[in-house]
Amino acid sequence: MDTSSGQPFLDALKGRPVRPLPLWLMRQAGRYLPEYRATRSQAGDFLTLCYTPKLAAEVTLQPIRRFAFDAAIIFSDILLVPQALGLGLKFVENEGPHVEAVEAAGGLARLSLAGMETRLEPVYAAIAAVKAALPRGVSLIGFAGAPWTIATYMVGARGGADIKAAKLWTYQDPTTFARLMDLVVEATALHLVNQARAGADALQLFDTWAGELSDDGFTRWSLEPTRAIVERVRKAFPTIPIIGFPRGAGARLADYAQYTGVDAVSLDSTVSLDWARQAVPSRLALQGNLDPLLLVAGGDAMRRSAEQICAGFADRHAVFNLGHGILPETPIPHVEDLVAAVRGARP
Ligand code: CP3
């Protein structure tokens, strides 16, 4: 009996070792594409682009049209959640995001779940629009930042760039920090469920700054909140695949895979696939992990590495991706070469 869904990306996440590997790239919609730059300048600024469903849907579809990837990821940003909770958000040219910081306990009072879902309505409208326009066989990914990563921006304004603020808070006042995290867990679970309801076929949680946590901190601020979110999403959508990306987790990836309940782990470029095949239980899918800088470099080095990754997944169910987001200086022909290499790799 053929049990395939007709979507190679979803089939791979659900346990089928699809070959050639399904493929998409983190940050596949972005500044390396001239058509993205055109739509962004039509919008005027990044946040307007995120909040205008028609334009967000358009930039989500651009990389699908150009490269025929197996999955689209909704064009949005992880920092829309703290903004929807009541914090100011700006994107400063050449500097990245600035979130209005929550200063210790007093700042928590400014945050509220009421109104969050209404503020995020344009994201759900964009998902519905993309879903209606996607070619058959292409899946749609909804996403959110994991609570630790979101908290690094809520506390330190610039996230990983000033990670000390959030880490100090976890050491100086873990009880209050836990209250902040509980609120973000709640908000994130709601946002993911709403994306699934709007039509997302799979969900990814980005824990970009997980690698900055101490061993104990990783357990408390990455593993536990992630598990709580997975449990909540599962109550509403028992079978939707959830991918976790604990960037920089190193050997703790094994605990992440065991404990959080995710269906797949996305691997950063430092992870050895030989190690991951042993450390990650075989019920989970693997995703990754070409170095985004190799995609900038291109040529034989990139092709060899892509083929090694395809071979490195061996008989696992897996999805080809980068180890982190695509860089703005990436030449488009290199992406075309990568797609050809992955599609042509021998099983
Ligand atoms: O194509 C896609 O992957 C979907 C869209 C997407 C964006 N951000 C769009 C974006 C996704 C999945 C994200 C996630 C995100 N945003 C993360 C987690 C993943 C990661 O990369 O670690 C983080 C930490 C953020 C926060 C954020 N947003 C930063 C640090 C920056 C500035 C860095 C940069 O590349 O300029 C952004 C801006 C941002 N988010 C851009 C895009 C396309 C660039 C904005 C522009 O057009 O100028």
Side-chain angles (χ1 to χ4, degrees), residues 9-10 13 24 60 71-78 123-124 127 130 134 139-145 188 191-206 240-244:
F9 168 79
L10 276 190
L13 290 181
W24 69 282
T60 302
I73 181 163
I74 188 64
F75 189 82
S76 179
D77 199 86
I78 64 168
V123 178
Y124 314 136
I127 287 176
V130 172
L134 272 180
S139 311
L140 178 57
I141 305 167
F143 73 90
T188 306
H191 187 42
L192 290 173
V193 166
N194 287 338
Q195 291 180 72
R197 215 167 261 148
D201 301 299
L203 301 169
Q204 178 153 328
L205 262 177
F206 289 89
I240 193 166
I242 303 175
I243 308 167

Side-chain angles (χ1 to χ4, degrees), residues 63-98:
I64 305 302
R65 287 188 203 116
R66 205 185 249 277
F67 305 113
F69 293 129
D70 296 289
I73 181 163
I74 188 64
F75 189 82
S76 179
D77 199 86
I78 64 168
L79 299 177
L80 268 44
V81 167
Q83 187 180 35
L85 288 173
L87 295 180
L89 171 65
K90 289 189 302 212
F91 281 83
V92 183
E93 207 63 51
N94 303 321
E95 248 187 75
H98 282 243

